[in-house]
Structures are given as C-alpha cells and as structure tokens.
Amino acid sequence: VGLNLADFSKNSFGYVFPDPFDSNGLRSFVIWKIHYGKHSGHFWIATMDGLEEMILTADARPAGIYRLPARFIHHAGSKQNPMPCNNIWDVYEDEAGRVWIASNCGLTIYQPTSKTYENYRFDATDPASLSAKAVKCICRDSKNRMWFGTEGGGVNLFLEKEKKFEHFRQKDGLPSDVIWGILEDNSGCLWISTSLGLSKFDPEKKKFKTYGYTEGFQSDIFNRGAYYKDADGNMYFGGSNGLNIFNPSDIKDHPKKPK
C-alpha cells in the first residue's frame, strides 16, 4: 500500500500514502515498478492509475519514521494527455531523457521537454505493429536497442528509424508468447522469463535456448515483475515455486545430445 523508502545508512524509513485531496500527491495504492531516471534525476513510478513522476523536495532525512519529502506529477489519460490507458506495467528513462511507458494498451514514448506523447498499439491489420495489446516489460540493451515483452505476442524489438516492430514468438523458439521479464547478461544475450520457462536469446544469431524445472530452476512458471540483475551480473528470477539466483557465465550447455 503506497510507497516506502528504507534508508539503511541512517536506519530510517519513509512513506507516502495516496491522497486524493493533494494535487501533488501519490494517486494509486497499487505500484508495479519504480525506475530512477539518471537524466532527469526523478523517479518514475508505474501504477494501476497512471504514471507518477516523483521529485524529492528535500535532502534532510530525520531519524525514525517520516513522511517522504516528495511531490508527484501525475501522467494519465485525459484530453490534455493522449496516453491510451492508465494501467502502467513498466517504465524506463533513456539517455536522451525520453520516457518509455509499457501499459495494458501498448507502448507510449513521453518527451518531457515538449510534453508530447507518441503511442504505439497493436493493429491486427499491420504486421509491423506491436504484436499484442499489453506490453509488460522493457529492456534497453548494451547496443541501445529497445526490447519489449508482451502478454501473448512474444518479444518485440523496436526498429526506431522505421517506427516498426520485429517480433519473436513461439514459432521462433520462445517457450511461450507470455513474457514477464527481460534482462541482458554481460555477453549481450537476453534472458527472458515466460509463463512456460526461462529462455536465453542471442540477438545476433537470433537463437533461443530454454531452461526450466528439468534444468534445476524452481519451476517452468515465472512471475510478472520478479526479475533483477545486480552489479556482479547475477540474475534473480522469481516463479510459482520460489526464487532462482544464478550467474549466466556459470551456465554451460552440453555440446552433444545424449543418445
């Protein structure tokens, strides 16, 4: 419920509760993702009721429990804001300051400088559009390519110059078209959690290798939002039967299939 901050260096905790009477306050009780934008210095918060832009207003951190000194700018669908819907799953701010927003209705790119919104949606008549209505996760790789996991349409690569999407689905080697998370390892491969296994994808060779319960993972079922990569390259994926922690460099495949 709401937003909480733990400052372990000072053994203090902060919180923000939604307040419908505060125009600069948090709007939603349900938060899906928190992303710190290095370009803006703001926190972008994906919620069930739109996107929140959180700006810290004071550096003082008193001891104990305190109300977080912050104000919020609310981004949600309205006449002034053409965002297609308000259930936001993921958000990412790139080096240019653009904010990429994944929602139940597709993909939105927000330009803070011009305060404009560019929307991309699923179109059954356009094979180069998004491959599904809902976009669940965002990954920017080391080559500055933007990858999107969808619910039912596999993985989409955004071809920015053409304003089109390249699709990777079950027919291409994914275990499922329901994607919950995407992380890039230190060798440039993508690890993709799905509803039916964890898949390693080589973007250059465009080949998939899938792992699951039989390879020692907690199960074949992974969960939405349960993925993280730390500074040492270790990856964390949560699923229906617990949590897996591993370093991709430690996973070695057998070169030959057994008889």
Side-chain angles (χ1 to χ4, degrees):
V1 176
L3 179 67
N4 297 274
L5 169 70
D7 188 340
F8 295 108
S9 65
K10 297 182 179 180
N11 195 30
S12 59
F13 300 87
Y15 67 92
V16 177
F17 291 149
D19 186 349
F21 302 105
D22 184 359
S23 60
N24 294 317
L26 181 66
R27 301 287 183 89
S28 179
F29 283 93
V30 181
I31 294 172
W32 299 124
K33 183 70 175 285
I34 302 171
H35 171 74
Y36 175 68
K38 294 181 180 178
H39 185 274
S40 65
H42 299 170
F43 290 88
W44 299 94
I45 303 171
T47 82
M48 188 178 284
D49 299 293
L51 178 68
E52 299 286 2
E53 182 179 356
M54 185 178 78
I55 304 169
L56 296 178
T57 56
D59 292 327
R61 295 288 185 270
I65 300 175
Y66 61 94
R67 188 167 179 84
L68 191 64
R71 66 182 179 90
F72 294 82
I73 299 174
H74 190 58
H75 301 265
S78 65
K79 291 182 179 180
Q80 295 77 26
N81 180 349
M83 282 175 59
C85 65
N86 293 335
N87 196 356
I88 312 300
W89 295 111
D90 201 355
V91 58
Y92 177 83
E93 181 187 282
D94 65 21
E95 293 79 2
R98 295 178 300 177
V99 181
W100 302 72
I101 306 165
S103 75
N104 257 8
C105 300
L107 170 69
T108 298
I109 304 174
Y110 170 58
Q111 286 277 12
T113 52
S114 60
K115 298 189 185 308
T116 56
Y117 299 82
E118 186 178 0
N119 294 313
Y120 295 89
R121 307 182 74 167
F122 168 72
D123 183 351
T125 65
D126 182 4
S129 73
L130 278 170
S131 59
K133 293 180 180 179
V135 178
K136 293 293 185 177
C137 59
I138 301 170
C139 176
R140 188 178 186 87
D141 71 14
S142 54
K143 294 188 176 180
N144 296 323
R145 294 173 294 198
M146 297 297 297
W147 301 86
F148 302 94
T150 72
E151 188 172 6
V155 174
N156 286 203
L157 169 63
F158 184 50
L159 307 175
E160 190 162 358
K161 290 183 179 179
E162 299 89 345
K163 302 294 184 182
K164 296 179 180 180
F165 295 87
E166 184 178 359
H167 309 148
F168 299 90
R169 309 187 66 161
Q170 273 187 287
K171 62 181 180 62
D172 304 303
L174 271 171
S176 169
D177 282 338
V178 178
I179 309 300
W180 298 132
I182 305 174
L183 294 173
E184 183 188 26
D185 67 20
N186 293 339
S187 67
C189 289
L190 302 181
W191 291 80
I192 304 163
S193 61
T194 79
S195 62
L196 285 175
L198 180 68
S199 196
K200 178 184 178 181
F201 176 59
D202 186 330
E204 311 312 322
K205 297 179 180 179
K206 297 186 177 180
K207 290 185 177 181
F208 291 90
K209 168 70 176 178
T210 297
Y211 302 86
Y213 181 74
T214 56
E215 287 77 33
F217 284 87
Q218 46 79 36
S219 76
D220 291 334
I221 301 173
F222 291 83
N223 289 341
R224 178 188 65 224
Y227 60 101
Y228 177 72
K229 178 185 174 184
D230 68 20
D232 295 321
N234 298 310
M235 291 188 174
Y236 303 71
F237 285 97
S240 61
N241 198 36
L243 175 72
N244 283 115
I245 305 171
F246 66 96
N247 194 302
S249 63
D250 295 333
I251 295 181
K252 309 297 181 184
D253 293 325
H254 292 291
K256 294 181 180 181
K257 290 183 178 180
K259 294 180 181 180

